Amino acid sequence: MRTPFEQLMEMQRISSRITELSAEKARIDADIARAATELRELFTERILRDSYAPHRHTNLADTTTAAEIACLLRISERTAHRLVQYSALLVDYHPKTLDALHAGTISWAHAAALLHEYAALPSGAAAAMEEALLPIAADTTVPRLAHRARKLRTQLHPTNLQDRARAAVQDRRVDLEPADDAMAWLHIHLPVTDATAIDTRLTTTARDLQSPTEHRTLPQLRTDILTDLLLTRYTPDYTCPCRRTPANNPQPDTGPDAGASGSDDSGGGAGCRCGAIGHDHPNAYRVQAHINVTVPVLTLLGLDDAPADLEGYGPIPADTARRLAAHAPSFTRLLTHPETGAVLSVGRTTYAVPADLKKWLRVRDRTCRHPGCNTPASRCELDHTTPWSHHGTTAHNNLAHLCRKHHMLKTEGIWHYTQPTPGTIAATSPAGKTYTTTPDPPPF
């Protein structure tokens, strides 16, 4: 049994080791940034030499470098693209921030937060901001740094905040991020006033629904209200179970949770202010969105509980698949075995891919076949692995899905693809590395 003094000394030793490792990690991150920029410069030279789309060589160099690094580090291309862009900014425009990272006084997260705040500032203002923020970054957390930086950025930016906010709203978007256990995150980038109003309204509405008989937690209620408002429509004669307000003519909010724009929901058909979940009402119906789910026939019949496959995500529970199938307006029978009679090849007869072969390939590939790319096959293009112009056939062993970006990299001759066996894609990068991908086995 250690004495209190011995325990204290051991704690100090471990704490020092953690600090040393953190500084070493920051140094490695700085070295990776330099190496990524060197690789980008080489790709830029090569693209200019080979005249690949000279009018957009910078974007193409970024894309090519990101694709290479994504495969090398087994990270997403979005993450790799951010690494490439941040690395170039650190090396070319903010060497002091890069030096601080290399010295271990700041982390990569601090450097990324600083770069975000330097963005769009004139060089003089960015340099002043860098001088002011680096000492703060060395002594505080990333959220605190970002808060301080936003205030300073507002003071130093030559464009007033109102004009910048008006321009930034053009970048609003919604992104879907798959999670585990048949769940997903839905990210929304929108003006902060609207985001705050939505968040407050969800909370206020959820609290109105809480009662001794309500078993759902506040986070669950907030989620259910949002889901119901987006996915349920109501006929004019539908009345909310709370009996307070007709669902197709909700009263405008005038309280603290009203939207920043001051508009009401009238005419939206989204439901009552109380947020009651009423999509099982006979005069309410679920909005139908087109999604592709591959369900084993025995699961569909209730004879098995094998998971189904949601395109672009992966396995979902059998009961979820059966519930989706129960409300599906139509089915497509996908023939996935040669004995079933699906057309797997038309040879050199036609360049166009027959409809049943398209469906067969969509089930086989599920996503873009470039290594690590998760773009759903429904948003990809069918590519002849050996081009039609090079005597390639329209067949399952010469077709694969590629998203527009990776299709472009193939067309430009930057990445090269072969299909040594049906469905197996060998992708060779500009740096000469080859990555092999095989389709997942069908979910039946």
Side-chain angles (χ1 to χ4, degrees):
M1 187 70 177
R2 300 177 185 177
T3 65
F5 177 76
E6 289 173 334
Q7 289 178 338
L8 178 62
M9 295 300 292
E10 185 66 7
M11 288 178 187
Q12 290 178 350
R13 184 191 68 79
I14 295 172
S15 296
S16 296
R17 181 60 178 156
I18 290 173
T19 303
E20 291 170 1
L21 290 172
S22 178
E24 180 67 12
K25 182 177 181 298
R27 184 191 66 76
I28 292 172
D29 285 336
D31 288 342
I32 289 175
R34 291 190 175 102
T37 302
E38 290 174 5
L39 185 62
R40 177 178 177 270
E41 290 171 353
L42 285 171
F43 281 138
T44 302
E45 290 177 11
R46 182 172 177 177
I47 289 168
L48 286 172
R49 182 198 68 199
D50 296 337
S51 299
Y52 295 124
H55 61 287
R56 53 189 177 93
H57 67 270
T58 300
N59 288 341
L60 194 54
D62 285 352
T63 300
T64 303
T65 309
E68 187 78 44
I69 290 176
C71 291
L72 284 172
L73 302 183
R74 298 179 299 282
I75 58 179
S76 72
E77 285 198 25
R78 179 177 293 183
T79 301
H81 203 277
R82 191 180 303 116
L83 171 62
V84 170
Q85 291 184 324
Y86 284 2
S87 298
L89 289 171
L90 286 169
V91 172
D92 297 336
Y93 299 100
H94 300 289
K96 290 183 180 179
T97 302
L98 181 61
D99 289 343
L101 179 64
H102 193 268
T105 57
I106 64 173
S107 68
W108 178 261
H110 287 88
L114 289 169
L115 289 174
H116 177 74
E117 300 303 332
Y118 300 157
L121 283 174
S123 57
M129 194 168 189
E130 189 173 33
E131 290 287 345
L133 290 178
L134 277 177
I136 298 172
D139 197 39
T140 191
T141 63
V142 173
R144 294 284 297 173
L145 171 65
H147 179 72
R148 296 280 295 276
R150 279 193 293 271
K151 288 187 173 181
L152 182 59
R153 188 172 188 269
T154 299
Q155 297 171 10
L156 295 175
H157 206 292
T159 306
N160 66 60
L161 182 58
Q162 182 175 340
D163 290 340
R164 284 186 282 128
R166 191 178 297 114
V169 78
Q170 302 303 317
D171 295 327
R172 61 193 184 277
R173 59 184 292 167
V174 178
D175 290 317
L176 178 69
E177 178 189 354
D180 293 332
D181 303 324
M183 299 291 283
W185 293 97
L186 193 64
H187 303 287
I188 309 173
H189 184 60
L190 73 167
V192 64
T193 49
D194 290 343
T196 304
I198 291 170
D199 182 70
T200 303
R201 182 167 186 177
L202 286 173
T203 299
T204 305
T205 308
R207 291 194 186 283
D208 285 345
L209 285 176
Q210 287 184 316
S211 69
T213 59
E214 176 55 71
H215 65 278
R216 288 171 293 180
T217 65
L218 186 67
Q220 290 171 342
L221 282 166
R222 281 165 45 91
T223 306
D224 290 346
I225 292 165
L226 179 65
T227 302
D228 193 55
L229 290 173
L230 287 175
L231 293 182
T232 307
R233 290 183 183 274
Y234 301 88
T235 57
D237 55 345
Y238 170 70
T239 301
C240 179
C242 74
R243 304 284 181 189
R244 291 187 302 180
T245 309
N248 69 315
N249 188 26
Q251 299 297 318
D253 277 349
T254 56
D257 59 322
S261 63
S263 61
D264 61 42
D265 336 75
S266 58
C272 177
R273 282 200 307 167
C274 78
I277 309 303
H279 56 256
D280 55 350
H281 189 279
N283 291 325
Y285 61 94
R286 210 66 168 167
V287 174
Q288 291 181 345
H290 183 79
I291 58 175
N292 295 292
V293 181
T294 304
V295 188
V297 66
L298 294 181
T299 296
L300 191 61
L301 296 174
L303 302 177
D304 197 344
D305 284 329
D309 185 86
L310 176 63
E311 184 181 55
Y313 174 82
I316 60 174
D319 59 345
T320 301
R322 283 192 285 266
R323 188 170 68 250
L324 288 171
H327 296 283
S330 64
F331 290 89
T332 299
R333 180 169 173 256
L334 296 180
L335 307 178
T336 60
H337 200 275
E339 283 77 11
T340 61
V343 177
L344 299 184
S345 173
V346 291
R348 294 283 299 171
T349 305
T350 177
Y351 176 83
V353 183
D356 56 349
L357 179 53
K358 283 183 180 179
K359 295 170 185 174
W360 191 92
L361 290 166
R362 210 152 111 182
V363 172
R364 184 197 71 181
D365 291 345
R366 305 189 195 181
T367 64
C368 169
R369 295 302 307 282
H370 182 89
C373 184
N374 286 320
T375 303
S378 60
R379 303 210 310 262
C380 294
E381 301 164 346
L382 268 177
D383 171 68
H384 287 71
T385 307
T386 299
W388 178 263
S389 59
H390 293 176
H391 306 289
T393 58
T394 301
H396 71 106
N397 59 356
N398 191 50
L399 291 166
H401 286 86
L402 291 176
C403 66
R404 288 188 177 184
K405 176 172 63 178
H406 294 122
H407 200 173
M408 178 272 294
L409 292 177
K410 177 178 183 286
T411 303
E412 296 284 357
I414 298 174
W415 278 75
H416 301 277
Y417 300 83
T418 59
Q419 199 165 161
T421 59
T424 298
I425 302 297
T428 303
S429 77
K433 289 189 172 291
T434 298
Y435 305 89
T436 301
T437 67
T438 54
D440 293 332
F444 39 78

